[in-house]
Amino acid sequence: NAGVTQTPKFRVLKTGQSMTLLCAQDMNHEYMYWYRQDPGMGLRLIHYSVGEGTTAKGEVPDGYNVSRLKKQNFLLGLESAAPSQTSVYFCASSTHRDRGPYEQYFGPGTRLTVT
Amino acid sequence: AQKVTQAQTEISVVEKEDVTLDCVYETRDTTYYLFWYKQPPSGELVFLIRRNSFDEQNEISGRYSWNFQKSTSSFNFTITASQVVDSAVYFCALRLGYSSASKIIFGSGTRLSIRP
């Protein structure tokens, strides 16, 4: 049981390049999330998904796209990277039971630098 | 508006001291959930505790304890007899409502340093 995994762990991009971050979870969770973490700002939600085939915008969605073609995978895409997207990206997943939404479990993070 | 405030940006104490991390939240919802996460220097986020708005019981887990007070909208976290391994950034978070689409709002974190 690996929990939540993210690939890659590190990446350096040049301005204008594109890339996709992959998140996978093996806990059969319904919900998945992408956050970015910047110094002094905590975590901010980029996009999230409440089920296979559905996605929604979070707090800071501009410049990112996502897809959830399979329940266990949640992809985050940067079509044209900008230096402002230099950050640490975390994926998370959670389940939902009778007593409401449960805690989120996080992946190890992806450190992205855009030069 | 919903908001989580961790006013203490950084705290530094000597090992074996007790330390309390403050968390104040704002919401008009009557149903909500509060969380604490730990982020050690290795970078991963580790879930510590979840508490829902209908359960004001305080909780103790080993050296960790949490004090939830709806009257002051606070959910404070105390580490007793701190250890160097407790050094980390700690995040308090708020999740609103019962909806499956509810999102978590994080505070900006408190960096805790335990000196030997």
Side-chain angles (χ1 to χ4, degrees):
Chain A
N1 192 339
V4 181
T5 58
Q6 293 180 231
T7 52
K9 289 188 169 54
F10 302 94
R11 185 72 186 267
V12 178
L13 286 179
K14 294 185 178 178
T15 298
Q17 287 185 322
S18 64
M19 77 163 294
T20 300
L21 282 67
L22 171 63
C23 176
Q25 53 96 2
D26 61 3
M27 297 174 282
N28 203 32
H29 285 171
E30 299 88 354
Y31 314 127
M32 297 186 75
Y33 312 81
W34 275 107
Y35 291 90
R36 61 177 288 172
Q37 184 179 29
D38 302 297
M41 301 189 73
L43 283 86
R44 293 183 292 169
L45 182 66
I46 304 171
H47 286 280
Y48 65 100
S49 167
V50 300
E52 185 177 323
T54 69
T55 62
K57 294 180 180 179
E59 184 184 353
V60 288
D62 294 341
Y64 305 94
N65 56 74
V66 289
S67 64
R68 183 125 181 247
L69 299 179
K70 294 182 179 180
K71 185 177 183 179
Q72 64 268 33
N73 295 337
F74 195 29
L75 279 62
L76 177 71
L78 286 73
E79 289 185 349
S80 180
S84 60
Q85 293 178 304
T86 294
S87 188
V88 180
Y89 292 85
F90 286 97
C91 176
S93 70
S94 70
T95 189
H96 183 271
R97 299 176 195 168
D98 291 343
R99 289 178 61 82
Y102 272 42
E103 60 277 3
Q104 296 179 355
Y105 289 90
F106 287 81
T110 295
R111 186 173 295 276
L112 175 66
T113 303
V114 183
T115 61
Chain B
Q2 295 81 31
K3 189 178 176 182
V4 176
T5 301
Q6 295 179 256
Q8 305 151 307
T9 306
E10 294 192 35
I11 300 175
S12 180
V13 301
V14 176
E15 199 172 19
K16 298 184 182 175
E17 285 186 14
D18 298 348
V19 58
T20 295
L21 309 182
D22 297 333
C23 173
V24 174
Y25 62 93
E26 294 177 30
T27 180
R28 292 181 180 174
D29 284 32
T30 55
T31 301
Y32 53 89
Y33 304 82
L34 295 162
F35 306 86
W36 275 96
Y37 285 87
K38 174 182 180 180
Q39 187 174 40
S42 52
E44 74 274 21
L45 280 149
V46 179
F47 165 72
L48 295 178
I49 190 172
R50 174 179 63 102
R51 177 64 74 228
N52 70 53
S53 54
F54 302 113
D55 180 5
E56 280 194 78
Q57 261 193 328
N58 292 325
E59 182 157 338
I60 297 174
S61 177
R63 296 184 296 105
Y64 294 173
S65 62
W66 290 269
N67 184 357
F68 177 29
Q69 292 197 337
K70 289 176 74 170
S71 60
T72 56
S73 297
S74 64
F75 186 42
N76 296 337
F77 173 29
T78 297
I79 302 174
T80 303
S82 60
Q83 300 177 1
V84 173
V85 293
D86 296 325
S87 297
V89 180
Y90 291 86
F91 292 95
C92 180
L94 167 69
R95 188 168 192 174
L96 303 174
Y98 188 79
S99 165
S100 60
S102 54
K103 297 157 282 187
I104 288 187
I105 301 161
F106 283 83
S108 55
T110 296
R111 182 176 300 276
L112 176 63
S113 298
I114 310 296
R115 308 189 303 275

